[in-house]
Amino acid sequence: MEFLLILALLLFSITRSCCLEGNGTHSDVLAPQEVRFVSLDYKNILHWKQHANSTNNQQYYVQWKVYGKKHWTKAAKCQGIRRLHCDLSQETSDPREWYYARVLAAHSGFHSPWVLTARFNPKWETSVSPPTVKLRVTEKGIVVQLKPPRSAHRRLNGSWISMRRLQRMSYTVYIMHNDVDQKTLEIESCAKQFLISDLSRRTTYCLQAESRLHLLDRRSPLSPKACVTTL
Ligand SMILES: *[C@@H]1O[C@H](CO)[C@@H](O)[C@H](O)[C@H]1NC(C)=O
Ligand SMILES: *[C@@H]1O[C@H](CO)[C@@H](O)[C@H](O)[C@H]1NC(C)=O
Ligand SMILES: *[C@@H]1O[C@H](CO)[C@@H](O)[C@H](O)[C@H]1NC(C)=O
């Protein structure tokens, strides 16, 4: 009796270890595809696609690590999720580090292999949003105020850190009249506001601005058009 019990336990543990470690539970058909970071203003989001041949209701598990370290860390908010993205901005917040992330899909007892990203560095790979543009008309011309996009990171006191603090950047401002370019200005990002003079009177001008990261000369899309009429 005792012998049978031990035998049963032994068989049980053998089957368990087979099914946890062996190939029986692996299913390549579940493997997430195109696992990659997309980063805008240091908001580092891991994205992936569901395998083309898999069912709809699988769950995903995300882990991350610093390049060169051994151990993977579970992304606490992205365990057993059904969505196809995971915000890793906080986990990957040191702009000098290189990171990896990996995703595994599971469905009714089967799971895929881990699928790894390419090596990711926030500083080199982030793109930037356009600045916020505010216009004011005075006797002398148009006063332009540019506000840098804010990054995904906050200071200890809760205030947002602007992109300007994290990377060298500048702006290009396009001044148009009837959709024809009149002037283009390059503005250093520390200039909070500046005056555009030598404009025609009682004329409507529209402005658009883009941000530029100097590191790889990466430019943002244009800001929405802002228009004013001179005095
Ligand atoms: C498990 O899969 C790997 C890779 O496909 C293969 O090399 C290995 O021989 C398999 N092991 C067993 C026990 O089937
Ligand atoms: C999905 O299944 C079809 C038919 O078996 C196969 O031809 C195709 O390569 C599979 N797609 C992927 C992404 O594996
Ligand atoms: C937080 O700190 C920054 C920089 O030290 C400062 O400019 C900002 O006013 C502070 N914000 C609050 C809400 O205290």
Side-chain angles (χ1 to χ4, degrees), residues 51-165:
H51 192 287
N53 290 343
S54 72
T55 54
N56 273 326
N57 53 356
Q58 61 216 31
Q59 293 178 301
Y60 297 98
Y61 296 82
V62 176
Q63 298 185 348
W64 65 277
K65 73 169 183 171
V66 174
Y67 175 68
K69 297 271 159 64
K70 263 196 185 148
H71 296 289
W72 290 92
T73 307
K74 286 181 185 173
K77 285 173 282 178
C78 304
Q79 299 299 306
I81 57 172
R82 297 192 193 277
R83 60 179 192 273
L84 299 173
H85 52 88
C86 173
D87 187 341
L88 292 176
S89 307
Q90 296 317 309
E91 290 81 351
T92 57
S93 63
D94 187 339
R96 294 160 305 181
E97 289 288 5
W98 292 84
Y99 297 95
Y100 284 115
R102 62 181 188 179
V103 187
L104 171 150
H107 179 53
S108 50
F110 292 89
H111 65 83
S112 74
W114 287 105
V115 182
L116 193 67
T117 59
R119 212 162 54 150
F120 167 77
N121 172 263
K123 183 171 178 177
W124 285 93
E125 289 173 48
T126 201
S127 45
V128 65
S129 300
T132 308
V133 179
K134 269 194 195 159
L135 304 180
R136 194 157 46 84
V137 179
T138 69
E139 277 298 332
K140 289 181 183 155
I142 300 173
V143 178
V144 183
Q145 258 184 305
L146 296 175
K147 207 172 139 197
R150 71 185 192 193
S151 77
H153 303 307
R154 293 173 190 256
R155 292 185 186 82
L156 290 178
N157 71 7
S159 67
W160 291 99
I161 300 173
S162 92
M163 282 299 284
R164 186 164 76 80
R165 298 267 169 218

Side-chain angles (χ1 to χ4, degrees), residues 16-36:
R16 269 191 68 84
S17 68
C18 120
C19 294
L20 284 175
E21 307 294 333
N23 291 351
T25 55
H26 271 79
S27 172
D28 288 341
V29 169
L30 293 178
Q33 297 179 327
E34 296 174 43
V35 181
R36 68 198 197 287

